[in-house]
Structures are given as C-alpha cells and as structure tokens.
Amino acid sequence: MKTEKTSKNAAYTGLFAAVAASSCCIPPVIAFIAGVGGSASALSWMEPFRPYLIGLAIVAIGYAWYNYLKPVKAEDCCEVDAKPKWFQTKGFLIGITLFAAVSIAFPYYADIFYPDNKKEVVMVRQSDIQTVNFDVKGMTCASCEEHLKHAVNELEGIVNIKASYEKANAEVEFDTTKTTKEDIIKAIDATGYKVITKEKDE
C-alpha cells in the first residue's frame, strides 16, 4: 500500500534527520574514543542546520505515528495482512522515536564520554602562572568544549581551562615553567578546532 510506504519513508526520514541534527556533536566523541583528534570538527558546518533537522525529524516521525494511529477506512479493511510488516509495528515506531530523541539530545549529555583528566598542579611561584584567552574556531556544542578541554588537560602544568562554544574561546590558566602557549595552541589545533587569534594575555 502507498500509505505503508509513505509511513515507512517518514519514519526513516525522521531517524536520519535526528541523527544528522547531532552530527556536528557526535564526531568529537568518536574522535576521542578512536584517538583521532583531528577529525573532531569535520561536520561542524552542519550546526546551523540543527534546528531545521530537529523540526524535520519531529514532523516526519509525527507523520509516521499519525499513519499508524489513524482509523482504517472501510475500503481498506480487506487488505489487512494476517501479520503486519515489521516497519508497521508499534515497537518499530517506539524504537525509531526513542533513538531519534536520544540522538537529538546527544549534545546535552556527551560530556559523560570524557573522563576527568585534570591534574593537580603544584605551584611554586604565583608569578609563573599565566592566563591566556584563545579564540577558537569550529566548536559547535558542549561536546566540542569537553573534547578541547580534555586535549589541553593532557599537557603538564594546566591549572584550569574554560572553553565556550558560544563565545568561541578557551581560557587557559597554566604554569609557564611546565608548558607554553605554543604547546596549548598545538593541542587545540590537534583536535580539529583552530586557534584563530593566537593569544590575548589577560
């Protein structure tokens, strides 16, 4: 039936749109797990389309549910199969809906994939501590922030780091006797995000 095909296509469209909506945030986690930092920002260009993709996912999955729940017309009653196809079942739609919701919400819980690697820094002299603000291009969500912070915290002498995708920056407090601004820039650039204004001393 044409309705069945339309419903199936709507469900798959919704699923694809939901995954695509978070595709800018999923690569940083995959890159971290795989140890391939440079590919983290590969799909950051998709971030502006996120609201539209979420809307498409909601409409498409909503339409699939509408087709499933709407009353069967009298003329269609004789075409009912003994056993519905798997994509016509309630379980299939529930599964698609849950997976889409988990995909769309991914940026809000992605930080759980990054272990805390912050080291305790013993400060000998306060004059050795420096705070530098780096303008960073390519971050699009909280997942990107966590990836960047994790990469910088791998360096020795990092006292504190704050990253913001909204402000497109990373503020790093570090011990100049143990690491340098150049090392921090290299660590950030290795993630796939790029330092665009090399430094602004605080």
Side-chain angles (χ1 to χ4, degrees), residues 121-132 156-159 172-181 184:
V121 178
V122 179
M123 292 180 276
V124 179
R125 291 184 301 178
Q126 186 62 38
S127 59
D128 291 333
I129 304 302
Q130 187 176 9
T131 301
V132 177
E156 291 297 324
I158 301 299
V159 178
V172 186
E173 187 179 2
F174 63 99
D175 187 335
T176 57
T177 64
K178 295 179 181 178
T179 195
T180 65
K181 288 182 277 191
I184 296 168

Side-chain angles (χ1 to χ4, degrees), residues 26-156:
I26 294 171
V29 172
I30 295 173
F32 167 72
I33 293 170
V36 188
S39 62
S41 62
L43 296 176
S44 60
W45 60 272
M46 288 191 69
E47 195 275 335
F49 303 104
R50 179 172 161 78
Y52 305 105
L53 290 166
I54 291 173
L56 176 60
I58 292 169
V59 169
I61 292 173
Y63 181 73
W65 273 104
Y66 166 77
N67 276 338
Y68 174 79
L69 297 172
K70 72 178 180 180
V72 179
K73 293 180 182 177
E75 59 266 26
D76 294 337
C77 67
C78 300
E79 299 181 27
V80 177
D81 296 328
K83 185 178 180 183
K85 295 175 183 174
W86 68 278
F87 62 82
Q88 296 172 302
T89 63
K90 188 175 184 179
F92 170 76
L93 281 177
I94 289 173
I96 289 283
T97 304
L98 289 176
F99 189 84
V102 167
S103 297
I104 290 170
F106 186 82
Y108 304 105
Y109 63 84
D111 59 324
I112 65 172
F113 294 99
Y114 296 94
D116 185 8
N117 66 339
K118 187 174 179 181
K119 305 176 189 81
E120 187 175 339
V121 178
V122 179
M123 292 180 276
V124 179
R125 291 184 301 178
Q126 186 62 38
S127 59
D128 291 333
I129 304 302
Q130 187 176 9
T131 301
V132 177
N133 188 59
F134 299 92
D135 291 329
V136 182
K137 181 181 179 181
M139 293 191 294
T140 59
C141 64
S143 177
C144 302
E145 294 174 354
E146 291 301 320
H147 186 213
L148 186 146
K149 289 195 289 187
H150 190 274
V152 172
N153 272 325
E154 290 290 304
L155 298 171
E156 291 297 324

Side-chain angles (χ1 to χ4, degrees), residues 7-40:
S7 182
K8 178 183 174 183
N9 290 341
Y12 282 133
T13 299
L15 180 62
F16 174 78
V19 172
S22 294
S23 62
C24 57
C25 306
I26 294 171
V29 172
I30 295 173
F32 167 72
I33 293 170
V36 188
S39 62

